[in-house]
Amino acid sequence: MLSIALVGCGAIGTAVLELLQADAGLSVAAIVVPAAGAVDAQAVASRLAPRAQVAGAVPTEGIDLVVEAAGHAAIEAHVLPALKRGVPCIVASVGALSAEGLPEQLEAAARDGGTQVQLIAGAIGAIDALAAARVGGLALVRYTGRKPPHAWKGTPAEEGRQLDTLAEATVIFEGSAREAARRFPKNANVAATVSLAGLGLDATTVRLIADPAVAENVHTVEAEGAFGSFELTMRNQPLAANPKTSALTVYSAVRALRSRVAPLVI
Ligand SMILES: NC(=O)C1=CN([C@@H]2O[C@H](COP(=O)(O)OP(=O)(O)OC[C@H]3O[C@@H](n4cnc5c(N)ncnc54)[C@H](OP(=O)(O)O)[C@@H]3O)[C@@H](O)[C@H]2O)C=CC1
Ligand SMILES: O=C([O-])CC(=O)C(=O)O
């Protein structure tokens, strides 16, 4: 039985807890949230993970694995210290690695702790194919993220435009994956994931679009290289609890957790 600390108890965290209820090999021992979120997290824990303690930090004893679904700041606050203590971590907020030096810090912490940090594919597919294609050499990787206007609320997409009355698809960002992940920390983790698997944060081109004609979160990856080429389009259902986030992110996190205890992994 693996004893898990879940960092974050929002849309992803709650859905992960729902899916893990029936897992015999995985037990959520701690739910880590900021002090202001403790009461809400306790209510979720009482319903879905009654044996879990709600805490402000990952407990230093009794945790075999940390899964982060909280936001960029949680990597420095919770993932780095856990790795240094030798606890393996699964990370959803991949865009955090757009901060200068953080990938190196994560590598150093994991090395010091003799453990590993896993960046999940989250809301995107074909990360295996892209990472394999990189071995042979990539010439181009382009990512386009298209979401309904309301999914861009609270982001720089609101600067100079009214998202509620947007009449047509509007490009709200064009640039590198690093810049996309920095400027849209809750909406462009996928851009970072695609770039880290492929051409890197600075050489991967990204377009983000607010589109009143779509109801899903639509992610497209185009890649070319020595392997050939591919185009992938995902039309992801958003979570009701957070329209910025695709349900697939939850399934990706649960898959990563279950893979830690499964006798056969794909
Ligand atoms: N890789 C991928 O494909 C995707 C990755 N993500 C990442 O997952 C994150 C979570 O998504 P989602 O669940 O939808 O977001 P929510 O906003 O619904 O939930 C975030 C949760 O994390 C908590 N939290 C915030 N900061 C911290 C912190 N420093 N330490 C511990 N807990 C914290 C929040 O607490 P409180 O409410 O009290 O602030 C809340 O419980 C996103 O911010 C994004 O970085 C999201 C979608 C796709
Ligand atoms: O969940 C999604 O569709 C993608 C997302 O928010 C992100 O990349 O941060």
Side-chain angles (χ1 to χ4, degrees), residues 72 93-104 106 176-185 188-189 191-193 195-196 201-202:
H72 290 198
S93 295
V94 180
L97 278 77
S98 61
E100 216 67 63
L102 193 58
E104 293 77 9
L106 282 168
S176 69
R178 185 185 300 281
E179 197 56 24
R182 272 192 194 144
R183 296 189 61 198
F184 299 85
N189 290 278
T193 307
S195 73
L196 290 167
L201 285 153
D202 298 306

Side-chain angles (χ1 to χ4, degrees), residues 6-14 31-38 40-41 55-56 68-75 77-78 91-96 120-124 147 184-191 193 219 236 239 241-246 248-250 252:
L6 169 68
V7 181
C9 193
I12 296 175
T14 302
I31 299 173
V32 179
V33 289
D40 286 350
E68 175 279 329
H72 290 198
I75 306 300
H78 303 298
V91 163
S93 295
V94 180
I120 59 167
I124 194 68
K147 295 185 183 181
F184 299 85
K186 297 181 180 179
N187 274 306
N189 290 278
V190 158
T193 307
H219 303 287
N236 290 343
L239 289 172
N242 185 358
K244 295 183 190 329
T245 296
S246 297
L248 189 66
T249 316
V250 173
S252 176

